[in-house]
Amino acid sequence: MHASVSITRDRDALGRRVWTTLCRSELVRVWLPALGLLALLVGVMGFLLLRSQQQARAQLEQRYALRGALASRFIASYVKDVQAREIAYATNLLAGKKVTAAQFALVSRAFGFEAAVLLDARGRTLNVVPTKPELIGKRLDRKYAHLRAALAGNSAVSGVVPSAVRAEPIVALAVPFETPFGRRVFSGGSLIATSPLGPYLDNTLPFQDAHAYLLDAEGNVIIAGGSGGLALPPETRGQGGAITVASKKYRFAAQPVPDTSWRLLTLAPSAQLLAPLSGPKQWIPWIVLLGFALVSGAALGLLARLIRQKAELAHLATRDPLTGALNRRTLERAYSRLAFEAKLVGSAVGILTIDLDHFKDVNDRYGHAAGDEVLRGVAETLLRTVRPSDVVARIGGDEFVVLLANVDKQLADLVAERVVRTLAKIALPALGTTELRVRCSAGIALAGDDDTMDSALARADSALYEAKAVGRNNWRPAKVA
């Protein structure tokens, strides 16, 4: 009973094994390389798309940083222009031996300075606006670094400092100029926001809710420009990056103002800065790539289906449709291959012919459907009994042939004995519930160098008929040619 169940489970194993071998060769040769190529192509396209989006993002951020750099250069240019005009006015109007308060006030008003001082070469105050007589003759350079730099011969700007007269916070621009009476320093200060720099910073960034800050070396705000919102600048590190202020994400850029101690800090909302890469422009390419991958995957699935169908057709063309064993045509090709291999190694090909005893009785008593199940069971038993290198074929009716690869007479006889005894011991299923036991007769022949398959098969058939003649359920070796 156990043998019957085993055969029921495995009766199609021969066909599955052959079909799997054929499919595997096609899959390895065609489908797997195509799948690998598709995966590589999609991966490369995804990488290039991601890299393209990253480069586009980097370009937007670089343009934003460049805008800040251009703004800082404009501020530096504006400061130099004011300082140049200061030197020109001071050289023409403030170089006399005595400079009256009226003259000094006139020059200061020309620049719009709210506070100004004129120092001699020793740093002593010659004139001051607004007027404060007690400061005349005092050394202001000891208190202000920008005045000390100017006395040393360098134009300088201050940070946010208190004016000398009223102690109001101002930013001063100090310049040295030469006179017949030695070097003097002219320094004027005002709230820079009242200068053209104020409106310029308000419009330097083309984003809503953007901010710009001109800061001194201590981080004090000289000018706060932009579209409003943040009165004080957030703390930042480095020349650029991302920052979150009041739950809103910004990109910032910090640029030093050349030839000053000032720094320009700009903030742009990240959503607006990266808007060209957001929305459909960002995800449509990925959807297209996904669609390409799906369509290509479907095409590969169709290719795999075609490969399976091709393998099935090849299986049907080379196999016996009932049992899955080789057919006669394929058996001849297998014999040619095994004979060539045997000749190379100095061995022989064994041909075992098998005929079921009284198989007609099975068909007559149980019907041809039961007979078909018996034939399938015999084919599977033969496949499990012989070696993997041997070939099993059905050449008609209840006749089977087994080609034994690389055998000698002793091994061929052992295989013939094992096949006959194995078939005699098992119970074959027929129509699900009925179990039949079959017997067989067999003949075994070794193909010589001059043998064709037909000549060797004829000698094996003669031995088979001899086995039937002596009582069946037996085997006989062929006579030596």
Side-chain angles (χ1 to χ4, degrees), residues 111-136:
F111 286 93
F113 290 149
E114 297 178 5
V117 295
L118 182 65
L119 306 181
D120 65 11
R122 296 182 180 179
R124 294 174 298 188
T125 303
L126 300 178
N127 295 88
V128 64
V129 171
T131 302
K132 192 172 184 180
E134 59 268 30
L135 290 180
I136 303 301

Side-chain angles (χ1 to χ4, degrees), residues 80-98:
K80 286 184 177 180
D81 179 68
V82 173
Q83 290 176 329
R85 289 189 293 115
E86 278 187 292
I87 293 174
Y89 272 69
T91 301
N92 291 328
L93 301 175
L94 304 178
K97 183 176 182 180
K98 183 174 178 59

Side-chain angles (χ1 to χ4, degrees), residues 11-285:
R11 67 184 182 181
D12 293 328
L14 175 62
R16 288 198 305 270
R17 193 174 302 175
V18 174
W19 180 88
T20 300
T21 301
L22 291 171
C23 283
R24 185 176 301 162
S25 63
E26 290 293 327
L27 289 175
V28 171
R29 186 171 61 87
V30 179
W31 194 80
L32 290 181
L35 181 62
L37 181 61
L38 174 62
L40 177 62
L41 180 60
V42 172
V44 170
M45 292 175 64
F47 171 76
L48 293 178
L49 177 57
L50 178 62
R51 183 177 180 183
S52 175
Q53 291 184 342
Q54 290 175 339
Q55 288 177 340
R57 179 188 180 100
Q59 289 176 355
L60 289 176
E61 294 175 351
Q62 289 172 359
R63 291 175 186 174
Y64 168 62
L66 179 60
R67 183 181 292 273
L70 292 175
S72 68
R73 292 174 188 172
F74 175 82
I75 295 172
S77 177
Y78 172 80
V79 170
K80 286 184 177 180
D81 179 68
V82 173
Q83 290 176 329
R85 289 189 293 115
E86 278 187 292
I87 293 174
Y89 272 69
T91 301
N92 291 328
L93 301 175
L94 304 178
K97 183 176 182 180
K98 183 174 178 59
V99 179
T100 65
Q103 287 177 309
F104 187 66
L106 178 65
V107 173
S108 299
R109 284 197 299 271
F111 286 93
F113 290 149
E114 297 178 5
V117 295
L118 182 65
L119 306 181
D120 65 11
R122 296 182 180 179
R124 294 174 298 188
T125 303
L126 300 178
N127 295 88
V128 64
V129 171
T131 302
K132 192 172 184 180
E134 59 268 30
L135 290 180
I136 303 301
K138 295 292 182 68
R139 298 265 317 259
L140 296 180
D141 61 306
R142 295 173 177 173
K143 183 177 180 181
Y144 298 103
H146 65 289
L147 296 180
R148 291 194 297 272
L151 283 172
N154 301 310
S155 297
V157 298
S158 73
V160 178
V161 295
S163 65
V165 178
R166 297 177 180 174
E168 295 175 335
I170 62 171
V171 176
L173 284 69
V175 296
F177 63 99
E178 302 300 327
T179 74
F181 310 101
R183 176 179 293 165
R184 290 180 180 175
V185 171
F186 174 43
S187 177
S190 63
L191 296 176
I192 300 298
T194 61
S195 73
L197 292 181
Y200 174 77
L201 288 187
D202 284 337
N203 298 280
T204 191
L205 295 178
F207 305 111
Q208 184 179 2
D209 198 24
H211 310 280
Y213 303 92
L214 184 60
L215 308 174
D216 66 12
E218 303 299 326
N220 300 310
V221 178
I222 300 173
I223 303 175
S227 57
L230 299 179
L232 296 176
E235 293 185 7
T236 58
R237 294 181 179 180
Q239 294 184 343
I243 190 171
T244 301
V245 181
S247 301
K248 191 168 186 177
K249 295 181 178 180
Y250 290 88
R251 298 293 303 184
F252 75 88
Q255 300 285 347
V257 178
D259 301 321
T260 73
S261 59
W262 299 347
R263 181 169 60 102
L264 178 63
L265 175 64
T266 58
L267 287 85
S270 298
Q272 295 183 43
L273 177 64
L274 303 177
L277 302 179
S278 303
K281 293 182 180 179
Q282 181 180 20
W283 48 260
I284 283 181

Side-chain angles (χ1 to χ4, degrees), residues 362-376:
V362 175
N363 286 332
D364 292 343
R365 181 175 180 180
Y366 298 102
H368 287 282
D372 290 347
E373 289 202 34
V374 169
L375 291 174
R376 283 192 288 266

Side-chain angles (χ1 to χ4, degrees), residues 285-305:
W286 291 102
I287 291 180
V288 172
L289 180 60
L290 177 61
F292 170 77
L294 293 176
V295 171
S296 300
L300 286 181
L302 178 60
L303 175 62
R305 182 177 178 182

Side-chain angles (χ1 to χ4, degrees), residues 4 7-8 11 320 322-323 354-363 366-382 384 394 397-400 423 426-432 434-440:
S4 173
I7 293 174
T8 301
R11 67 184 182 181
D320 169 49
L322 176 63
T323 64
I354 302 166
D355 190 85
L356 301 185
D357 296 334
H358 306 297
F359 182 70
K360 184 176 180 299
D361 295 343
V362 175
N363 286 332
Y366 298 102
H368 287 282
D372 290 347
E373 289 202 34
V374 169
L375 291 174
R376 283 192 288 266
V378 169
E380 176 60 28
T381 301
L382 291 175
R384 290 188 291 109
R394 178 183 176 224
D398 59 339
E399 299 177 30
F400 292 86
L423 285 176
I426 64 172
L428 299 174
L431 302 180
T434 303
E435 291 185 354
L436 299 177
R437 293 186 178 275
V438 297
R439 304 288 185 269
C440 74

